[in-house]
Amino acid sequence: MENLMLEGSAKTPKVSFNASEGFLELKGRSIPENSIEFYKPLNNWIDSYATNPKGLTSVDIKLEYFNTSSSKCILDLFKQLEKLNGDNTEVKINWYFEEDDEDMEEAGEDYQAIIDLPFNMIEIEEI
Amino acid sequence: MNNIYDIFEKLDEKKILLSFKGTITPDLLTTILQIIESKLDDYDEKPKVKRKVFNILVECLQNLYHHIDKEIVIDAKTTYDKSALLMIARNENNYQVMTGNYMETKDVESLREKLDFVNSMDKDSLKAYYKEVLNDGNRSSKGTAGLGMVDIARKSGQKLGYHFLELNDTLSFFSLIVTISE
């Protein structure tokens, strides 16, 4: 299947969804007014990927900012991935946050509390 | 012409970094965010404070954008457009994001209840409530999550300041002040 690659913008993150490598990345900021519109193609891509997923799917979330409108879309995305996590197909989330960014660290913990997937919390100098 | 000086003096006295009155559009929102980001960089502001100001500003602006979606019609001659006021102040020990907009008087009570509810919660209750709403599966027709004020209160770490000025049975003016301490 085709990869989903989108350049980042002032309000939307860079998207790199690679089917053959089982590697999904969101990077930058997610603050669009209409998040549903932006996330729809991402949800659709994961739906197709779910029909033939890799043994290990690794998801890197490297967000600097996200708005509350995106927060539910990100949760939906995790819920799709949660369904993928099974005996033969494993899903791992790497949640990145910048040093001292307690708000982003907490946001990761909020998702971790709701979603039944392994979360790696990774502190880095700059996203 | 003295009026212009009056406005200048007031903005100066209130330490206003940026003020805007007019209709909030997505493009304007992007521009305001860019200006504030570069100002915060110029002040060499701590990353933590910078992120909080930016995040809170995004939510406040998007609240204005999403919730002022119609004209308020008083009578055939009087309608109020969806213009809003935004001000960002930089005081000695904190930043303040202030917004003002018209709203319908009939909607005042439910917004007041919502704000009082948010203000009644401490840090842990806000976190628990945020998670509950995040996971409730509901979304408005505009795609908003119903989390804006909760998120603003969580990130600011202080009570939201607000005021309703009832102009008449139909029209009220809503003011919001969010404080971000350095």
Side-chain angles (χ1 to χ4, degrees), chain A residues 10-11 29 31-36 64-73 75-76 79 98-104 106-107 109-111 113-114, chain B residues 26-27 29-30 33-34 37 48 50-52 54-55 58-59 62 65-66 123 127 130-131 133-136 138-139 142-143 145 147-148 151 154-155:
Chain A
K11 286 185 190 161
R29 42 186 69 181
I31 52 171
E33 285 78 37
N34 191 337
S35 301
I36 297 178
E64 204 188 343
Y65 298 110
F66 67 91
N67 59 359
T68 53
S69 167
S70 298
S71 63
K72 286 198 175 177
C73 294
L75 181 72
D76 289 345
K79 286 195 167 171
E98 289 185 357
E99 278 173 8
D100 300 331
D101 192 352
E102 288 158 20
D103 290 331
M104 192 55 79
E106 261 195 65
E109 289 165 5
D110 290 347
Y111 285 116
I114 299 172
Chain B
D27 284 346
L29 219 140
T30 310
L33 292 171
Q34 273 166 356
E37 230 183 345
K48 199 172 166 174
K50 200 180 130 181
R51 281 190 294 251
K52 281 188 189 285
F54 188 86
N55 260 310
V58 168
E59 292 303 323
Q62 293 186 340
Y65 174 72
H66 285 294
K123 193 174 181 284
K127 186 183 170 80
Y130 179 95
K131 275 192 278 188
V133 179
L134 177 65
N135 200 21
D136 70 6
N138 294 329
R139 209 162 347 210
K142 294 170 209 149
L147 282 167
D151 190 55
R154 253 184 112 178
K155 296 214 162 99

Side-chain angles (χ1 to χ4, degrees), chain B residues 82-146:
Chain B
K82 47 181 185 177
S83 110
L85 174 68
L86 167 78
M87 292 186 290
I88 300 148
R90 184 190 187 220
N91 304 308
E92 217 160 292
N93 302 312
N94 63 42
Y95 282 84
Q96 284 182 311
V97 177
M98 295 169 265
T99 65
N101 59 275
Y102 287 116
M103 62 182 290
E104 288 191 68
T105 301
K106 68 172 172 59
D107 298 329
V108 167
E109 262 332 289
S110 64
L111 181 55
R112 190 198 301 276
E113 272 171 30
K114 189 172 181 177
L115 290 163
D116 284 343
F117 178 59
V118 168
N119 275 346
S120 74
M121 288 186 274
D122 62 10
K123 193 174 181 284
D124 291 339
S125 323
L126 280 168
K127 186 183 170 80
Y129 182 68
Y130 179 95
K131 275 192 278 188
E132 187 189 317
V133 179
L134 177 65
N135 200 21
D136 70 6
N138 294 329
R139 209 162 347 210
S140 77
S141 53
K142 294 170 209 149
T144 54

Side-chain angles (χ1 to χ4, degrees), chain B residues 6-16 19 87:
Chain B
D6 289 345
I7 295 169
F8 180 91
E9 252 202 326
K10 275 229 170 69
L11 293 174
D12 203 42
E13 183 195 307
K14 299 275 182 199
K15 311 263 188 240
I16 303 300
S19 77
M87 292 186 290

